[in-house]
Amino acid sequence: MVQVSSFLEPLDYAIVIGYLLILLAFGYYISFIKNKKTDENIFLAGNTLGWTSIGLNMWGTNVGPSMLIASASVGFTSGIVAGNFAWYAFIFILLLAVVFAPRYLGAKVLTLPEFMGKRFGDSTRNILAWYTLITVLISWLSLTLFAGGILVKQLLGMPMYLSVILMVVLSAFFAAAGGLKAIAYTNVFQMLLLIAVSLLLVVMGVNRAGGLDAIYSQTPGSYWNLLLPADDKNYPWIAILLGYPIMGVWFWCTDQSMVQSVLGAKSLKEGQLGANFIGWLKILDVPLFILPGVICFVLFPSLKNPDEAYLTMVTQLFPIGLRGLIIVVLIAALISTIGSALNSLSTVFTMDIYVKKYRPQATQAEIKKTGRLVVLFGSLLSIFITLAIDSIKGLNLFDVFQSVLGFIAPPMSVVFLFGVLWNKTTTKAANIVLTLGTAISLGTGILYLWVFPNGTYNWPHFLLLSFYIFVALALVAFFISLTDENGQADHQTLLRIDAKAKPDKQVKLLWLALCVVMVALYIIFNNH
């Protein structure tokens, strides 16, 4: 592997060091000077977000360095077929807007576990707290740490275990020095910078390759199809059609990190318009994040590791100085995500489990001590999970991300769909799906990825496995609810959508326009 550092000049290193020092200084100012005499309010956005803020916040949560690296990787190997994970999402964002958001906002909740607590009781809310710990630990912390480890490994040529340990230590260092707050304050700027860089990368890459026609002529026709044959080993259309919806419902309708912006909307209409806005923004994922990988395939076809596609484009096309700036922004954003995930892990365990269930009389000193211990334990555990993810063979970075998420999604998708759409779903059904279903789903994932790895053994596609697990858990929820002697209290007040809250004409027209555009894109990008 060619080290990216061999392409960096003294000016690049100076920019890297300068940028990090500025972040640290800004963080110190925010943490120890500006906020010294003020109490920080962690709910700054409470029901004040307009549609533009909602859309940008959701897209910013979804877009990150790990997505840039993974998307370019799959673009290099398979073309735009991975665009399904961005463009197919509009259906489930629409589901959030018209089915879930009216009920969430009508219930006046701050978190989704709180909503499910109102629906099924405290037992379900407690289980969801543990489920949240698992999803944060795997999907937000370990996968990001894995992408960060790959980035550091490419930059410095380190083994993965040293890269991962370095990322954890850097995250802890930034948090201790106030740097994490600095990065949090500059996250919007960094997101916009990453998007601008990707756009510049595409423009420079297209020009270097001789134009879009030249790129099209030098790539296989399948690179420009969203739907591939049913016998395609990587992305058969049937797997995407049936399997992605399970992940889509979980990610766009039930994941707290994604839905939080809609929960903070000024009104339901603003929330629905904000969801529509991110539907339009997701169209940009293909040209901004996947296309660089396709261009890399044309310009550097001998590249042996597709996961290096994005940084190869950066180092080969960008001038001195800009390389260092982009690399440090990637690292800073990764550190921010890792630090935020550690903080979320600590907060959920300390407040929703330790204080609420085991020690309600805990002092602030005890709470802080517990939080620090959780951060330490979570860091160590995430290192082992990340190294386990690194041992997965036969999948590129993008597929690793999607397969892991595919095995997390089914239990939550079942519980939220049944809980919101069927009033007779019982607490017993929800709790069994969340506990036993999670064990089955994650257990299947462990067998698929590590014990009897796909490739060595003949498994169905991971998206089809996600679909099969969903169907099985849905049947479990249905029959348990029918046979549960305790029944379930009537929740029509909680689950009914007020007639006044139904989408107005503007919302309907914008969603209709988006649906037309998405159908057109699926027609255009097929049969090549």
Side-chain angles (χ1 to χ4, degrees):
M1 181 180 71
V2 178
Q3 285 184 222
V4 174
S5 57
S6 63
F7 294 94
L8 301 181
E9 301 292 339
L11 179 60
D12 294 306
Y13 286 110
I15 290 174
V16 168
I17 295 170
Y19 191 96
L20 293 176
L21 288 176
I22 289 172
L23 284 179
L24 284 172
F26 184 64
Y28 180 84
Y29 169 75
I30 293 295
S31 300
F32 301 111
I33 299 176
K34 183 176 183 295
N35 290 334
K36 188 174 182 180
K37 297 182 179 179
T38 60
D39 291 326
E40 194 171 47
N41 182 355
I42 61 173
F43 298 111
L44 298 176
N47 298 111
T48 61
L49 295 180
W51 64 271
T52 52
S53 297
I54 293 168
L56 288 172
N57 283 338
M58 292 180 74
W59 199 39
T61 302
N62 187 217
V63 172
S66 55
M67 181 178 178
L68 297 182
I69 298 170
S71 296
S73 172
V74 74
F76 184 93
T77 58
S78 305
I80 70 163
V81 64
N84 284 289
F85 293 86
W87 289 359
Y88 193 5
F90 85 96
I91 295 175
F92 309 102
I93 301 173
L94 175 61
L95 191 68
L96 168 66
V98 301
V99 175
F100 286 91
R103 293 173 169 89
Y104 292 159
L105 292 173
K108 301 186 186 307
V109 295
L110 292 174
T111 68
L112 301 187
E114 181 184 357
F115 177 84
M116 297 310 280
K118 288 187 174 184
R119 173 67 174 89
F120 292 117
D122 283 344
S123 60
T124 304
R125 185 175 181 179
N126 291 335
I127 294 172
L128 276 176
W130 284 103
Y131 192 96
T132 301
L133 288 176
I134 294 172
T135 56
V136 169
L137 186 63
I138 297 175
S139 64
W140 290 104
L141 182 54
S142 295
L143 286 179
T144 303
L145 198 56
F146 175 57
I150 288 177
L151 177 61
V152 174
K153 184 169 68 171
Q154 290 178 18
L155 289 174
L156 304 176
M158 287 184 176
M160 173 58 82
Y161 76 93
L162 283 179
S163 302
V164 170
I165 292 172
L166 179 61
M167 291 300 296
V168 171
V169 172
L170 276 173
S171 299
F173 172 76
F174 267 71
L180 183 58
K181 284 193 176 183
I183 297 173
Y185 271 78
T186 57
N187 255 350
V188 173
F189 165 75
Q190 290 185 139
M191 182 197 73
L192 294 175
L193 181 59
L194 286 178
I195 292 169
V197 166
S198 295
L199 178 59
L200 180 60
L201 198 62
V202 169
V203 171
M204 295 179 70
V206 169
N207 289 336
R208 176 87 168 266
L212 290 173
D213 289 339
I215 294 172
Y216 182 80
S217 65
Q218 295 179 64
T219 49
S222 62
Y223 267 46
W224 305 98
N225 289 334
L226 287 167
L227 301 178
L228 299 181
D231 60 354
D232 183 83
K233 66 176 184 178
N234 294 318
Y235 291 103
W237 69 268
I238 189 69
I240 290 174
L241 179 68
L242 297 179
Y244 177 75
I246 315 307
M247 194 186 306
V249 170
W250 166 67
F251 189 76
W252 293 107
C253 301
T254 76
D255 185 79
Q256 180 70 32
S257 299
M258 293 308 304
V259 178
Q260 183 67 45
S261 295
V262 174
L263 295 181
K266 292 178 183 177
S267 64
L268 175 60
K269 180 179 179 180
E270 291 293 319
Q272 291 173 328
L273 290 176
N276 178 265
F277 186 34
I278 192 180
W280 291 100
L281 290 174
K282 289 296 290 179
I283 295 175
L284 301 177
D285 284 15
V286 172
L288 287 182
F289 309 136
I290 296 177
L291 187 56
V294 179
I295 298 171
C296 185
F297 173 81
V298 173
L299 295 178
F300 311 103
S302 60
L303 184 67
K304 294 182 179 180
N305 185 358
D307 293 343
E308 298 177 13
Y310 187 82
L311 284 182
T312 297
M313 292 282 285
V314 167
T315 54
Q316 296 288 342
L317 300 184
F318 279 169
I320 296 171
L322 190 55
R323 299 171 190 168
L325 177 62
I326 298 319
I327 287 169
V328 76
V329 168
L330 286 169
I331 293 174
L334 280 165
I335 291 171
S336 173
T337 303
I338 294 166
S340 297
L342 284 171
N343 182 65
S344 297
L345 194 75
S346 174
T347 301
V348 170
F349 181 86
T350 304
M351 303 309 297
D352 288 344
I353 296 174
Y354 175 73
V355 173
K356 184 181 177 186
K357 191 170 182 181
Y358 295 105
R359 193 163 174 77
Q361 73 277 17
T363 65
Q364 283 300 314
E366 290 175 321
I367 290 173
K368 288 180 180 180
K369 181 180 178 180
T370 303
R372 292 190 183 108
L373 289 174
V374 172
V375 167
L376 177 61
F377 180 77
S379 298
L380 293 173
L381 188 57
S382 66
I383 290 174
F384 287 109
I385 295 175
T386 304
L387 294 178
I389 292 172
D390 185 49
S391 70
I392 296 172
K393 306 299 180 184
L395 296 176
N396 62 27
L397 180 60
F398 188 85
D399 287 346
V400 169
F401 275 49
Q402 300 304 331
S403 60
V404 171
L405 298 181
F407 290 116
I408 291 175
M412 283 284 276
S413 295
V414 169
V415 168
F416 272 80
L417 284 173
F418 271 74
V420 166
L421 299 180
W422 193 31
N423 189 41
K424 293 183 179 180
T425 306
T426 66
T427 299
K428 181 179 178 181
N431 290 351
I432 288 178
V433 168
L434 284 174
T435 51
L436 181 62
T438 299
I440 292 172
S441 194
L442 293 183
T444 304
I446 291 170
L447 293 174
Y448 175 91
L449 294 169
W450 289 288
V451 181
F452 304 110
N454 184 47
T456 304
Y457 297 86
N458 189 22
W459 284 85
H461 194 278
F462 66 83
L463 288 174
L464 286 177
L465 280 174
S466 182
F467 173 73
Y468 297 151
I469 294 169
F470 172 85
V471 171
L473 294 181
L475 290 173
V476 168
F478 177 74
F479 284 112
I480 290 177
S481 295
L482 284 183
T483 58
D484 189 353
E485 296 178 356
N486 294 325
Q488 185 70 26
D490 188 275
H491 286 94
Q492 286 296 332
T493 303
L494 181 68
L495 300 179
R496 184 186 295 114
I497 298 178
D498 191 329
K500 298 178 181 177
K502 292 183 178 179
D504 68 7
K505 186 176 182 180
Q506 181 186 9
V507 172
K508 289 179 180 178
L509 287 175
L510 285 171
W511 273 107
L512 178 62
L514 179 60
C515 291
V516 170
V517 170
M518 298 312 301
V519 170
L521 286 173
Y522 268 84
I523 293 173
I524 293 169
F525 288 100
N526 273 300
N527 300 315
H528 289 273

